[in-house]
Amino acid sequence: MRSEARWNAAVAKHEAAVRDFLAACEKCPLDEWQRSADGKWSTAAVALHICNAYELGRDAMLRGASMQLVVSKRYAWFLRTFALPLIIATTRFPRAKAPREVRPNVEETKMLTRDAMRGRLLRASREASDAFRNAAGTSSLPRMTHAYFGDLTPYSALRLLTAHTRHHTRSLA
């Protein structure tokens, strides 16, 4: 598949994942938006986590921000080579603690309204998608460091964020 067609397909899947996530958030009754149970995140916290992930991806491409690698480089290579393609294909993630950089802040979560989240997520996801695509067109291909997967190309990072958004959409259902 040509590069342009490949990117168009990835961006279309990304945009559909964001729309589906927002639709799942809309189904949450407002009186349950902030409610968490059994040690799980509230819908607001999940939404903030998704926003944080897109904002970090955008910032990685524009400013070089990245996550702290929490596994060895060798294990990151293994996960990136063998687990990441499976995760992207199935949108199923193994049980793992969310990287520190994208965990929702408790105080920020308490103040997050559904309307504010919608605007923030639409803006951040669009900016991240644009930043990934623009970065892929440069001669010095920037990379985003992921806590578990290590260095990701812009294309892989967008596909991982899409799978991540799909994963959390299912968790809200």
Side-chain angles (χ1 to χ4, degrees), residues 148-169:
Y148 298 108
F149 302 113
D151 289 343
L152 298 175
T153 65
Y155 181 74
S156 293
L158 178 64
R159 293 184 69 215
L160 175 60
L161 277 170
T162 300
H164 180 249
T165 302
R166 287 264 179 234
H167 164 75
H168 282 293
T169 300

Side-chain angles (χ1 to χ4, degrees), residues 15-74:
E15 290 170 349
V18 170
R19 278 192 309 274
D20 292 347
F21 181 80
L22 289 171
C25 287
E26 288 296 324
K27 291 179 182 175
C28 175
L30 282 176
D31 61 334
E32 293 181 18
W33 175 249
Q34 296 285 344
R35 190 174 302 148
S36 58
D38 301 327
K40 296 191 181 220
W41 289 344
S42 66
T43 302
V46 171
L48 182 57
H49 170 63
I50 295 295
C51 289
N52 290 345
Y54 279 109
E55 290 164 351
L56 181 76
R58 174 202 62 208
D59 293 347
M61 293 299 110
L62 298 178
R63 292 185 266 298
S66 66
M67 294 179 179
Q68 177 73 38
L69 190 63
V70 298
V71 298
S72 70
K73 288 185 178 185
R74 181 175 289 172

Side-chain angles (χ1 to χ4, degrees), residues 97-168:
K97 193 171 187 177
R100 170 182 53 81
E101 295 86 353
V102 295
R103 283 185 213 137
N105 175 283
V106 174
E107 294 305 313
E108 190 177 4
T109 299
K110 289 178 184 175
M111 297 184 310
L112 186 67
T113 66
R114 197 160 54 190
D115 288 339
M117 177 279 303
R118 184 183 310 107
R120 182 174 171 177
L121 179 57
L122 286 170
R123 182 176 52 259
S125 65
R126 184 188 66 250
E127 290 171 353
S129 176
D130 290 347
F132 288 134
R133 193 169 196 161
N134 291 339
T138 63
S139 58
S140 62
L141 188 65
R143 298 195 178 253
M144 175 183 140
T145 301
H146 186 276
Y148 298 108
F149 302 113
D151 289 343
L152 298 175
T153 65
Y155 181 74
S156 293
L158 178 64
R159 293 184 69 215
L160 175 60
L161 277 170
T162 300
H164 180 249
T165 302
R166 287 264 179 234
H167 164 75
H168 282 293

Side-chain angles (χ1 to χ4, degrees), residues 87-101:
I87 289 169
I88 289 172
T90 65
T91 70
R92 304 245 183 242
F93 283 67
R95 276 199 153 310
K97 193 171 187 177
R100 170 182 53 81
E101 295 86 353

